[in-house]
């Protein structure tokens, strides 16, 4: 059995999956954090692996960038492969000056400028929320380990290169703390299928101060984010 975008067989993918945007990051996670990693997908180079972490079966797969790409993969993972727990590990741009580079954001809720939720034909606006259980576990782990985290609302935007350079300030005025491009779709797809989802983000740039990380520097924040994500398996 395969889907248009995933060539795995049923049973090849664990019920818990980590979801970075970058497929090479999925490969890195599998090779550095999992025991016995096996590749289950190479379609479109969107690498996916299943292995074990502390004796538990776990998978990791890239999703690409943006809501359409992310939603294709999470839909197929949930509906065709029975995935029940989806943990996005990504990066975000901070809308608050007190969020420093490499800080960690646990995404409690996501707003969007996308029309994605139209698909669910709701008679109003959907608030996309994290699984309380995963959020509570992640936050408790951070408290226990002394990892500083910020929990809050983010914007999942369809636009990376926004022509209106002050648009983001109106989201910030509503206490939206950061921008990324996928969490809203993840939370919608999970809610619709009664699956659990959480997005964990590392701050890679700050729109208030203009600070940016380099690709190399991002590995620092990535280690902390992985520690949190792995604690949920
Ligand atoms: N915009 C959208 N997505 C992002 C950003 C950003 O500034 N930084 C990291 N992911």
């Amino acid at each position: 059995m395969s889907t248009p975008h995933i060539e795995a067989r049923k049973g090849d993918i664990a019920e818990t999956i980590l979801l970075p945007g970058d497929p090479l990051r999925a490969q890195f996670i599998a090779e550095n954090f999992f025991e016995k990693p096996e590749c289950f997908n190479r379609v479109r180079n969107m690498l996916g692996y299943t292995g074990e972490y502390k004796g538990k079966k776990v998978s990791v797969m890239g999703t690409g960038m943006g809501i359409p790409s992310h939603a294709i993969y999470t839909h197929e993972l949930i509906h065709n492969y029975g995935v029940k727990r989806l943990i996005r590990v990504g990066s975000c741009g901070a809308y608050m000056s007190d969020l420093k580079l490499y800080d960690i954001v646990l995404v409690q809720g996501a707003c969007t400028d996308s029309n994605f939720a139209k698909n669910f034909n709701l008679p109003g606006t959907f608030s996309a929320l994290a699984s309380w259980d995963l959020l509570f576990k992640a936050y408790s782990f951070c408290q226990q380990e002394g990892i500083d985290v910020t929990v809050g609302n983010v914007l999942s935007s369809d636009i990376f290169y926004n022509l209106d350079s002050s648009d983001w300030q109106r989201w910030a005025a509503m206490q939206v703390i950061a921008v990324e491009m996928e969490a809203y779709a993840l939370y919608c797809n999970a809610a619709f299928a009664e699956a659990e989802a959480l997005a964990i983000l590392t701050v890679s740039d700050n729109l208030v101060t203009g600070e940016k990380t380099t690709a190399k520097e991002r590995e620092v924040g990535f280690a902390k984010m992985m520690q949190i994500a792995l604690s949920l398996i």
Side-chain angles (χ1 to χ4, degrees), residues 99 104-109 132 135 138-139 149-154 175 177 198:
L99 273 177
I104 303 286
V105 170
L106 300 179
V107 178
Q108 180 180 16
W132 168 247
L135 179 59
Y139 186 74
V149 282
T150 305
V151 181
N153 207 357
V154 305
Q175 314 313 313
I177 62 174
L198 177 67

Side-chain angles (χ1 to χ4, degrees), residues 5 23 40 68 81 88 111 117 121 123 135 157 172 177 191 193:
H5 310 95
F40 65 73
Y81 291 98
R88 162 160 157 71
C111 310
N121 198 23
L135 179 59
S157 183
I177 62 174

Side-chain angles (χ1 to χ4, degrees), residues 91-93 159-160 179-181 204-205 207:
S91 63
C92 64
I159 302 161
F160 187 86
V179 59
E180 52 85 81
M181 305 184 82
S204 62
D205 50 283
L207 282 89

Side-chain angles (χ1 to χ4, degrees), residues 95-208:
Y95 282 173
M96 303 281 159
S97 59
D98 56 358
L99 273 177
K100 305 296 177 210
L101 299 182
Y102 325 116
D103 276 1
I104 303 286
V105 170
L106 300 179
V107 178
Q108 180 180 16
C111 310
T112 195
D113 52 22
S114 132
N115 233 350
F116 181 72
K118 193 166 185 286
N119 194 34
F120 302 100
N121 198 23
L122 297 164
T125 308
F126 182 69
S127 296
L129 299 182
S131 144
W132 168 247
D133 191 50
L134 286 179
L135 179 59
F136 182 73
K137 280 189 181 134
Y139 186 74
S140 304
F141 175 79
C142 292
Q143 283 213 308
Q144 194 184 304
E145 297 296 316
I147 302 171
D148 198 22
V149 282
T150 305
V151 181
N153 207 357
V154 305
L155 172 67
S156 300
S157 183
D158 272 352
I159 302 161
F160 187 86
Y161 295 109
N162 197 326
L163 293 179
D164 183 340
S165 60
S166 63
D167 243 14
W168 67 271
Q169 290 167 2
R170 298 210 295 282
W171 291 106
M174 292 297 282
Q175 314 313 313
V176 171
I177 62 174
V179 59
E180 52 85 81
M181 305 184 82
E182 296 84 13
Y184 190 86
L186 171 63
Y187 289 0
C188 284
N189 276 351
F192 190 68
E194 295 181 50
E196 293 183 276
L198 177 67
I200 308 172
L201 308 171
T202 301
V203 174
S204 62
D205 50 283
N206 188 306
L207 282 89
V208 188

